[in-house]
Amino acid sequence: MSQPPFLPPHAPEPAGASNDPLKGLPSPFGFSGGNQVAVLQGGRQLFPAMIEAIAHARHEVWAASYIFEDNPSVTAVIDALCGAAQRGVQVRLLVDGFGCNATLPALSGRCLQAGVSLAVFRPLQGWWSWLQPIQLRRMHKKLCVVDDKVAFVGGINLIDDCFDQRHGWSEQPRLDFAVSLHGPIVGSVRSVVRALWTRAWLGNEFREEVSAMSQEAHPLGRLRRLIRRLRMPVRASAVRLATSHIPMRAAFIVRDNLRQRRTIERHYIAAIRQAQERIDLMSPYFYPGRAFRRALRQAASRGVKVRVVLQGKIDFPIAHLAARMLYDEMHAKGVQIFEYQPAFLHAKIALVDAHWATVGSSNIDPLSLLLNLEANVIVHDASFNAELACYFDAAVVNSREVGPRDSRYFWFRPWQQAAVAWCVRLYLRVAGRSGRY
């Protein structure tokens, strides 16, 4: 992917920068070197890159998306998946039962006809499905892996940039990002999406699998193969970590409800605590927990420049209300808050100093940090950081800064803040989560 014309060819390291930017950071999936990571803005850049990769697929394609909408730009992606399946490539697609509830019948028909293996994560079969608290935990990842050679990770759903499920079509595309990946990190992405697809498929087709297994000549062998597909990696290869230090050093991290419950949140907090110069956060939904907010306040208090870009064009009023509740708290420590104006904001990116950057699906709110299945890529590389910083700065230019004297945000009272916090705690408790946030 070519870099934008305004990108500097190289961003110099700040004086006194640590020789090991990974020091002190939790890395359950491990950082590997020798990766190529490129920024993709919106579906207008992501979808053509995916289609090209799928067109050259020879063995397998794994894909996952929270939302699917049958827009023309997305139809081209589905056409590519179907075309790959028809020429003998194993194509497996995973979608979320809630995010794709309305469009699932049409998608299922196309996949069945073309030979694409479709799995649905926690399908909704009626209103009674919501009586199960586990339904509040959704598959929010957006992933694609082709032949273990290239992967795509980010926040971009299979939906047109100018279409919103609640508000319809708009003239300006939403702001969103993904990354394309080459190198050792692709294997981690493949392992995760394969395990996710297998778990969703097994949950929907359990009886058929048990029946098929009972008719096998060697059922234990089939069971072992199935267990291997269900597993996700916990750490990268120790040899890889010890010997590979060339750019780009990157890690693929996830949040699940098994062993990686707060991994993404901890990576954020660890990076914020080590910040020396700047912290740039962009998220459509912003309601971090106590530890996250404390880390931001402490960073701003020690002189770190902290900028947060949030939504200016609102899609979910209650989510925006929750974010506004924190404005005064952030302003008190010098945090700058901006609201993006041209279109809907859906990007989930962050930068810390000159090396640390992340792009992914995780918002900075309790649904993403505590409930949903999420995936982010963290990159330690000065040139990638500089490229992503250009996109962040461009968003700031197109945003309205909300100052501490903005009268619109002073009418909130402590009891209203307490009401929002109570609603969040109630939602988390109904979903099966307890403890401090």
Side-chain angles (χ1 to χ4, degrees):
M1 185 70 193
S2 60
Q3 295 176 339
F6 50 81
L7 176 65
H10 177 71
E13 296 183 11
S18 170
N19 292 328
D20 186 6
L22 308 183
K23 184 179 180 181
L25 289 175
S27 53
F29 273 67
F31 285 82
S32 63
N35 297 293
Q36 298 177 26
V37 188
V39 181
L40 301 170
Q41 182 176 352
R44 66 180 183 274
Q45 291 186 355
L46 172 63
F47 297 158
M50 288 176 58
I51 291 169
E52 181 179 2
I54 294 169
H56 290 89
R58 300 183 62 183
H59 305 292
E60 62 177 15
V61 178
W62 299 87
S65 180
Y66 173 64
I67 291 174
F68 164 77
E69 279 291 337
D70 197 11
N71 308 134
S73 59
V74 176
T75 300
V77 177
I78 302 301
D79 287 342
L81 292 173
C82 292
Q86 290 170 343
R87 65 175 185 269
V89 177
Q90 290 187 332
V91 180
R92 298 177 177 90
L93 175 62
L94 171 65
V95 296
D96 184 79
F98 176 74
C100 299
N101 188 42
T103 56
L104 189 56
L107 179 62
S108 299
R110 288 213 57 191
C111 290
L112 180 63
Q113 184 177 10
V116 174
S117 298
L118 177 68
V120 182
F121 183 84
R122 292 179 182 158
L124 301 177
Q125 299 175 341
W127 62 266
W128 54 89
S129 297
W130 290 111
L131 298 178
Q132 303 172 343
I134 198 172
Q135 291 288 0
L136 298 179
R137 304 181 182 190
R138 308 310 311 181
M139 196 289 298
H140 198 240
K141 299 176 183 181
K142 297 89 178 176
L143 309 171
C144 180
V145 183
V146 179
D147 281 348
D148 208 16
K149 293 181 178 180
V150 58
F152 302 92
V153 179
I156 303 173
N157 289 291
L158 291 178
I159 185 173
D160 192 276
D161 291 339
C162 293
F163 184 78
D164 182 84
Q165 287 184 314
R166 289 169 55 87
H167 303 280
W169 292 94
S170 61
E171 294 183 1
Q172 296 297 321
R174 76 174 57 82
L175 184 62
D176 209 348
F177 295 97
V179 290
S180 64
L181 305 169
H182 294 81
I185 193 174
V186 174
S188 296
V189 183
R190 179 186 179 274
S191 295
V192 167
V193 68
R194 181 181 66 174
L196 278 174
W197 185 93
T198 303
R199 291 174 184 177
W201 170 81
L202 186 61
N204 298 333
E205 308 291 341
F206 181 75
R207 292 182 179 178
E208 288 77 0
E209 175 63 22
V210 171
S211 176
M213 195 176 300
S214 65
Q215 298 174 16
E216 284 272 340
H218 303 284
L220 290 180
R222 179 166 182 156
L223 178 61
R224 283 194 293 267
R225 292 194 299 270
L226 180 62
I227 292 174
R228 284 197 298 269
R229 289 169 57 189
L230 289 170
R231 290 175 178 170
M232 288 189 285
V234 178
R235 291 190 180 274
S237 167
V239 174
R240 178 188 298 167
L241 289 173
T243 61
S244 185
H245 294 282
I246 61 175
M248 295 177 179
R249 301 180 79 181
F252 178 68
I253 62 171
V254 303
R255 202 222 74 81
D256 59 29
N257 292 299
L258 299 172
R259 293 179 293 179
Q260 312 296 336
R261 293 174 181 266
R262 304 192 80 149
T263 299
I264 293 178
E265 180 185 26
R266 287 168 179 163
H267 269 276
Y268 264 108
I269 293 174
I272 291 169
R273 287 174 176 169
Q274 295 187 21
Q276 299 177 10
E277 296 181 353
R278 61 148 183 177
I279 300 169
D280 290 334
L281 303 177
M282 182 182 297
S283 177
Y285 310 117
F286 184 79
Y287 195 78
R290 290 182 177 89
F292 199 117
R293 300 202 308 272
R294 186 186 308 115
L296 283 178
R297 294 195 305 267
Q298 291 173 346
S301 297
R302 63 177 183 265
V304 177
K305 183 178 181 180
V306 182
R307 298 185 296 176
V308 180
V309 176
L310 306 175
Q311 293 203 54
K313 189 174 182 180
I314 313 307
D315 54 357
F316 293 99
I318 189 168
H320 191 63
L321 174 65
R324 286 181 174 181
M325 290 292 186
L326 305 178
Y327 282 14
D328 288 350
E329 176 185 334
M330 297 292 106
H331 283 142
K333 297 297 182 180
V335 175
Q336 292 180 277
I337 299 175
F338 300 86
E339 292 182 344
Y340 185 72
Q341 299 297 313
F344 290 114
L345 174 70
H346 197 254
K348 307 100 166 47
I349 65 174
L351 304 101
V352 177
D353 292 338
H355 287 87
W356 191 96
T358 186
V359 178
S361 67
S362 180
N363 297 298
I364 306 177
D365 72 347
L367 271 69
S368 283
L369 297 179
L370 296 181
L371 297 179
N372 292 337
L373 308 187
E374 306 284 0
N376 276 42
V377 171
I378 296 179
V379 181
H380 283 281
D381 183 83
S383 61
F384 179 85
N385 186 295
E387 179 181 2
L388 193 61
C390 290
Y391 288 105
F392 188 94
D393 291 339
V396 170
V397 170
N398 288 287
S399 300
R400 183 183 68 87
E401 182 171 5
V402 181
R405 295 187 178 182
D406 193 323
S407 60
R408 288 194 305 155
Y409 307 111
F410 274 95
W411 63 274
F412 294 119
R413 297 292 186 266
W415 68 267
Q416 291 172 310
Q417 297 178 2
V420 171
W422 180 85
C423 290
V424 170
R425 286 195 296 270
L426 177 62
Y427 189 94
L428 293 175
R429 186 170 293 276
V430 171
R433 291 294 309 223
S434 59
R436 293 169 62 87
Y437 175 65

